[in-house]
Amino acid sequence: MKEPDDEDSGGEKSDGSKSGGQRSQRASQSAPTTKEDDKVLEDATDETFAKEEDSYLEDDDSYGEHLEGSSSSLHYDFVASTGESQYVETPGPAAEESEEEIKTKISPSFFYDYTELVLIPFVTPDSNIPLDLLTLVHSFGYDCRKRANLQLPDSNTVMYIAGNQLILLNLKTKEQMYLRSSSGRGIGVIGVHPDKTYIVVAEKGVSPKIIIYEYPSLRPYRILRDGTELAYAYVDFNNSGTLLASVGDNPDHTLTIWNWKEEQPILRTKAFSQEVFKVTFNPDNEEQLTTSGSGHIKFWEMALTFTGLKLQGSLGRFGKTATTVIEGYMELPDGKVLSGSEWGNMLLWESGFIKVELCRSISKCCHQGPINQITLDEGEVITIGSDGYVRIWDFETIDMADTIDDTGLIEIEPINELLVDKNVKLFSMIKMNETGNNIWLAQDASGAIWKLDLSFSNITQDPECLFSFHSGAVEALAVSPLTYLMATTSLDCSIRIYDFGSRTPLAHVKFKQGGTALAWVPQLVSYTGAQIIVGFEDGVVRILELYDPKGLTIFAGRKKFLDADLHLQYVTKPHTAHVTALAYDHDGEILATGSKDKTVFFFDVEKNYKPIGYITTPGPVCQLIWSTVTHLESTLLILCENGYVLEAPYPTIKEDVEDHHIVSYEIKDMRTKCFHFSSVKSKILRLMEIEKRKKQKELKEKEKEERRKQLAAVMGEDGEKESQGEEEEEEEEEETPLPAIFIPSTPCHILCGFYSGPGKFWVSLGGYDSGFLYHCELPPYDKNSDITEKKDEPFDFRLIEDTEDNPIQTITFSVNQDMMFCGMQDGAIRVYILSRNDLSLTNMENYWHFNIHDNNYGCIKGISTSFDDRFLVTTGADSNIFVFSIFSEFEFRESIKAKVPSPRLGIETEPIPEDIFDPKAYSIENARRKREHDKLMKEVEEIKARKREQLKALRNQFQKLLEMNKELPKHMQLKRTDFDIDSKIRAEMNRKTVYEINQVEKELAWEKEKHQLGLRKLQHRFRDSLQSDAVVVHAIQSEHKISSYRLVKPSKYSRFKRASQSEARTSKLDRFEKEGPGTKDSQKDTGGNMNVQEESIIEKGKQFRPKTLSQIMVENEIEKTRKLVLKAERAQFKIQQRKKEWEELYKSKPGDDYEDPKDVQAIKEAQVYMGDFNLKTAPDYKIPEHMRINAAKKKEELGQLDSMTYSKKTHMNKSILSLRDLKVAVIEEIQCLVQELKNIQSTLHISKHVPIPQIPQIHPEEVPEKRFHYDEKTLLAFKQQLMKSKDEKSPQGEQMASTAPGSGFLRQAPGKDGDLTTRDSLSRSSKALTLSLDIQRIVEFEKADPTEVELEIMKRDEIKHVYMQQYLTNRIKELIVTFDAELRLLRHQKLKLDTQMKLSDLHHLTLFQETLLLKNFEKQENIFQERVNSLHKEEQDLQWKTNETLKEMEEKKNEITRLQDQEKSLYAGFQAALGENNKFENFLMKVLKKKIKRVKKKEVEGDADEDEESDESSEEESSLESDEDESGSEDEVFDDSICPTNCDVGLYEMALQLRDKRLDIEEALVEEKKIVDNLKKENDILSKKVRHVATNLNAAEEALEAYQREKQQRLNELLVVIPLKLHQIEHVVFGEIPSDLSGTLVFSNHSLRQLQERIVQLQEENSKQQKLNKEFRERRKQLIREKREMSKSINKMEETVHQLMISKFGRVIDLEALQTLSVNTTLEELRIKKLRKELLNAKEIKKWEEKIAQMRWELMMKTKEHTKKLHQMNDLCIEKNKLDSRLNTLQNQQGNAFQGLRKADIVAREKVIELIHLQAERIMALKEEIALLRKKGGFILPPIQSAQENVKPPDL
């Protein structure tokens, strides 16, 4: 690697550790270094300042500011507590000096120190890790998708960004030089000075810098700061190189113009709200700039305004053209701009609008895709596009292009064009400064740098690809186990081989799909290390063999040999999605592949990669790791993205057994262990917080103990007591709650991991769980466990510093496993120094960290060391590939070239296996399943074929039987149904047929729905929008016709729809009002009337119920109080009314200088409008407020016009439709008359027949709605027509089919729509038929010769029929003539309406043009109006604040006056208390007036304002102390602390008290005066603001008026068509109309008459006003006299009233208070409440007495019932005793008579015992019932009933 500091050092190279120590020491010092740098700066510039002191002081101040931080060093330190950047910028004192008024100028010879500016790696302090642990050796990548990432500082060097490095590549020697980023966050954009003497590096990060390096020395020359927030998007020098323009990326998009040599921004503004891609100066006018980006282009101009130099931007308006992203553009010399578009056309901009859009002939686009760059070179316009073409256009054709039609397109053709290559996407292009050649370098977004010759001559060279790279993220990396070779793959479908030892790319090959995984086949499998295995995004795995083609047999004609080549050796497709991992076991016998399809496939390597089988995983596989040799068993660790980790054992390899019978490759019996990661980060953070708090607590205890000891040692026992007191006073801080336990709802992705031992592994996770490495252990295998329900936690963890939002993406170890290399998500590399073979990571304190890839999108995808640990290779998502040399004590003397394996014998003749190109091809698992499925289907088809043959034989046999049955005689033939074995079979067949038909309908449902949807769309597009179609009504006899208007539905501007809705709503309400009451009343007649009657009866009962005495008393009291209150209120109201009238009268009193606002307004209007009728075209025309128009009003006017035209057209359409209905009725009547005429002529002789009139027909144009009616017959006819057209395929048939009338799809159905008869016509025709039938019957019965009477009758009938024949004929003619007359009359009306509609269309066009114009003005007008409104509101607010301030000042002045009066009264009262001739008067007055120091009580708070107040109070106290000292110096003998002898103690005490009061009053006075002073200042500020706002408001109103005038002028420019008749033209020249009417004015006669009448009116008004003026003067004199007299009478009346008051009341009293004096309403209300409460209590007492009487009655009744129960109990007891005595006697008796009946005695005895038990139970129940009844509120239960209650006891 070569860096600029290597050149400055003169080739000397210091020791690595020493340089590392110096760098770390320099990085740890910030302030001292800055001071030294300032000193160096002063020394370096003293001489320059001395020489140029006079000159630079005269320069412009805007370009001469002090260098802010110009020599400040950068300090990078590791911040452990935050997840932000590890590199922190420490500003020097120069940043503070930038505020000084003295502005210094930077010396042209001043340079920064690159070593202090550049980013250095972070190393853990005191770790002895060298800073140059990794040294960048080479870069193989190129960020080809980054804008403007190809610059040319000279003809032999190209410059581009690679992550955190700027690479300068020598095109001849291929040597690379590197400039590192100073921020560590990446580089945003680069640029080159027009003189090629400086290069610009605009960085990324927080407040990034722009560093300008001198070229070719590459010394930092200038640093520009604070130009954007996070990153720069583009930089550009002006043509002279004095200014630099920069634009920021998201989020601020700040545009800054720099005086870069002085490091000062000149102008700064926000470029746009969306992403800005580019900013450039106009080469011909450096005061103009252009920016473009997402959906916009903006034109800027540096304008010198009265406030200084400003950047004024004008946003380009696309107008009719669709908004597009603009990547490339070019400024033309005349200020126009030519830009590209997304669709490939060029847009020519002029004055902020698109002047014309340029395309190729036949409207072809200039490029197929976006145009990325447009350049003007040697009078030709060059465009490059994403289609890979470079096209040359004629500059003059483009510059002079102008629109010729409404499309705005101009067709031009390129002069020359060049197709670079297929699949090339040109992004940018830069010209090489080679004399005599037109050579350009092009940046290809597909991953290349091209050399293009655009000379277009006979010797033009073909496009040459100078360098080829990966395009997009480099997905995978693999390093050879034998030599310095590496392989990479990407989604750009390429696989590349590099020799990183000699730093050369060797070979690359492309496939149809992108690569996603890659591994180098181990040496155990490929001894020469020549094979690599690659996984692709379509699931294919390919094995490629690398070889040196120079070792092949030389064939004739072979000229050029490559350094290496790749040969396809094996192809298989085990997966259906991205292959994400490839791994060989340590013996090289098994290959495992993992994919996003949640499968892991195993292959037997020794058997030519024969598939063993696959297992399914619970999530997409992200990594596969085989166990090492140290493990007892070979296992595979499978990491899934969704938090699952599996361990699969070594798969069993079956011997050579045929597996054709196996259906699937799935291995179902594999004993796989599973670990489901559960988040423990919140627990870890909780434990860490607990530990942290514990340590803090211990530290505080130690500090307290030390403090206690120190106090005890210094102060002894007092110190201990004081420390104890301090500890008691200290309040215990409330501990903040510990972090809550949080587990994310979705599991975090596992990023990488590795084995730490058998069954143990480490994992790194992203998302919430990032920041730690987790040590996990696999649980034992459990067949019955559900892995989805498992939640496993790690048993150990390691905190990874600064990875909270930057997790470890990939991990690899050195060969000796003493270093762990980590690739971070932000593109950084971190190296941990470990103990050898320490996979438990016991020591991870020391590490080395360095940002290398892009920090925004440069996530490290792959990291690997070489086979000998001499190199480290990293690949990132930013397309970059970096090679580092790992620090070693032994230096590399020379570069080592990798050895490419020699080709195998016969490799050139070896057949290439068939590759898999189709991404949808079957995987090996799907292919096997497909094979089994095909085999099964083949067997099924064979079975079906056999069954079909059997059915065919049976069908033939059945047909023969049917034929034999037909040959039999009829009486012997069997019926067809007799052949049916079972009728159910045929029914089942019919059911199946119906089912199949339904199935077919279901299958065709989608097609049916599709065609129906298409039909609905067509109807919606072309038919539904129509309100009414055009109907053409033809006359019957003449050729006249009338057509209706083809109306569409009302437009969005029309109000017709709203009006119709409102009309419908009102009609609905009217209908509700008409129908509602009757229906609702009728519904409620039955039940509702009863309720109303009952309520009225109850109310009447309440009304006529007599009142009680208490109610009468309460009402009387209330009425009495109410009258008194009412009287007082009336008096008070009268007084207030009188006061109000007086106030209004005084308010209405005009001042001396009062002027009537109406008169003022009239005068103003007269001054503005009278005497001249301003035209709208006049330059000084002022638009009145009511005549100002905007887009909304114009839309409303447009809507009114649409509504009016719509209503008129609708009315005319209704008339035409009614005319069509009349024609239909006429035709129906004519049909009936013709039918009657035919019936009459059937009875007449043929000689007397009159020609029957032809029946008119309805034309298809008259019923257009029937074109879309069809039925089944129409569809069948259409189908037959289609079949015939297909079969015939002849021109005649096609012509006949196309011209056949009525055979189309829209033919009218006969019998339905063809007949236009109605009920009336049918009735008429039926009458005619009955008449004809009667006549026929008469004719049939005429067989005999007629008699004379009959002949007479026949003659009469004949005369009648002849008359009827003539009458009917005339009637038909009359109908036809009448209809034609109606049509002609309506046609005449429609012609007039057509004229009006044409005029309305012209007016509509004018209004629409005005609307479009007003829309363009609307935005800016709203801005002006909002500014006026805001300023007006601000003026009102300030005025209100001013008034409030004045009010407050007045209040404070009154308060000051009050305090002064209190002070005077205090002195006066004390003087009165002293009395006259008091000996101690002087002493007591001195005591009273003495100034003493008063201690104020202050609350100690932490606010800064209160601290300031305390400072002020302390100043006041000091002033008081000084006053006291001065007073003391005047009279040292005076002592007020002791009362003198013989002095009244009371007066002394009073003096002391009054002194305190005096001091309080004085302090209050001081405070009030301060407040008044502050209010005065505030009032002054507000008044200034009011004047400023008033000025701004006037300016804003003038701007708005000017804008309104401009808008009116633009409206005046619109052409308006006004049709005039000849008599309306009064401007004639020599009696003829002039040919040029441009100078004429269209003016209405009404307005002209008004102006003429106004002259007479003004004359009359003038004379009238003179008379009124004279009358009003006389009236004024009279009023003055009356006023004097009234004032005299008022004074007399006031004196009389005062005398009367004194004579009646003895003093002057307030009559208002006397009149409003009334009763105490509160007392009266309380008294009434008391009375009501007493009455309510009396009622309640009465109710409770009634309840008590009732309860006593109930108690007496219960007592009687209880007594009755007791009597019953007594009777039962007596009966029981009797029975007991009888039983005893029966037992004692000894009788022989009953000895034989022993059994009966026993039964009787049992019955008696049972009866006794029953009675005992009843007695107990009665006792319990009695006990319940004795209790208060006892609940009576029903008596207990037993089953034997109804059994009668036996007679004993």
Side-chain angles (χ1 to χ4, degrees), residues 1229-1245 1248-1255 1324 1328-1329 1331-1332 1335 1360-1373:
E1229 191 172 354
I1230 289 172
Q1231 285 178 349
C1232 297
L1233 293 174
V1234 167
Q1235 186 64 37
E1236 292 179 7
L1237 193 60
K1238 287 180 180 179
N1239 295 335
I1240 289 171
Q1241 286 184 354
S1242 64
T1243 60
L1244 291 175
H1245 191 266
K1248 296 183 179 181
H1249 285 186
V1250 176
I1252 298 174
Q1254 188 177 0
I1255 300 174
R1324 292 173 186 171
L1329 287 172
L1331 180 62
S1332 63
I1335 293 170
K1360 179 181 177 182
H1361 291 157
V1362 170
Y1363 172 76
M1364 287 301 296
Q1365 179 181 350
Q1366 190 63 36
Y1367 172 76
L1368 291 175
T1369 306
N1370 293 336
R1371 175 62 180 163
I1372 291 171
K1373 290 179 180 179

Side-chain angles (χ1 to χ4, degrees), residues 133-381:
L133 178 65
L134 296 180
T135 304
L136 181 61
V137 174
H138 197 76
S139 171
F140 287 106
Y142 174 53
D143 194 353
C144 58
R145 298 180 182 178
K146 193 177 186 70
R147 289 185 181 87
N149 197 19
L150 183 66
Q151 298 294 335
L152 203 65
D154 58 44
S155 58
N156 295 325
T157 308
V158 293
M159 181 174 69
Y160 57 88
I161 302 168
N164 270 272
Q165 280 72 231
L166 175 65
I167 297 180
L168 291 95
L169 175 63
N170 192 308
L171 296 175
K172 293 182 179 179
T173 63
K174 303 296 188 291
E175 184 183 357
Q176 293 182 352
M177 290 184 64
Y178 311 105
L179 285 176
R180 285 183 284 176
S181 166
S182 66
S183 64
R185 309 306 297 174
I187 299 174
V189 69
I190 54 177
V192 180
H193 193 272
D195 298 336
K196 307 292 185 183
T197 55
Y198 300 98
I199 60 174
V200 181
V201 179
E203 303 198 348
K204 296 194 291 187
V206 180
S207 296
K209 302 173 185 175
I210 299 177
I211 304 176
I212 300 171
Y213 294 88
E214 188 188 40
Y215 188 80
S217 65
L218 298 181
R219 291 186 297 168
Y221 186 60
R222 293 292 181 264
I223 299 176
L224 310 181
R225 297 174 175 85
D226 299 329
T228 187
E229 292 184 13
L230 294 179
Y232 287 97
Y234 204 88
V235 292
D236 182 59
F237 284 99
N238 62 347
N239 202 24
S240 60
T242 57
L243 300 179
L244 176 70
S246 68
V247 65
D249 208 339
N250 288 325
D252 57 326
H253 309 296
T254 302
L255 173 62
T256 310
I257 310 297
W258 303 86
N259 178 10
W260 61 273
K261 289 190 177 180
E262 298 297 330
E263 299 184 356
Q264 295 299 326
I266 300 173
L267 296 170
R268 179 172 295 163
T269 185
K270 186 178 179 66
F272 199 62
S273 58
Q274 297 180 14
E275 191 174 2
V276 183
F277 301 152
K278 190 175 180 182
V279 58
T280 55
F281 284 94
N282 189 337
D284 299 293
N285 187 355
E286 295 182 353
E287 293 181 355
Q288 294 179 357
L289 296 95
T290 308
T291 59
S292 71
S294 178
H296 80 281
I297 185 170
K298 205 166 184 179
F299 312 102
W300 302 86
E301 185 173 0
M302 291 188 285
L304 188 62
T305 64
F306 65 93
T307 58
L309 196 63
K310 293 287 182 70
L311 260 181
Q312 296 177 350
S314 174
L315 186 64
R317 300 181 182 180
F318 287 92
K320 295 180 181 179
T321 309
T323 305
T324 177
V325 174
I326 295 179
E327 286 277 0
Y329 64 84
M330 177 192 71
E331 297 93 345
L332 303 183
D334 57 355
K336 293 196 287 290
V337 174
L338 182 67
S339 74
S341 62
E342 287 180 277
W343 54 88
N345 281 347
M346 290 184 286
L347 308 175
L348 185 62
W349 299 81
E350 185 176 18
S351 300
F353 294 90
I354 295 177
K355 182 180 179 183
V356 69
E357 182 176 351
L358 304 172
C359 65
R360 300 183 69 183
S361 59
I362 325 174
S363 297
K364 287 171 59 179
C365 295
C366 299
H367 285 270
Q368 296 298 321
I371 297 175
N372 294 323
Q373 186 176 343
I374 304 177
T375 307
L376 181 64
D377 183 64
E378 297 178 0
E380 295 176 339
V381 176

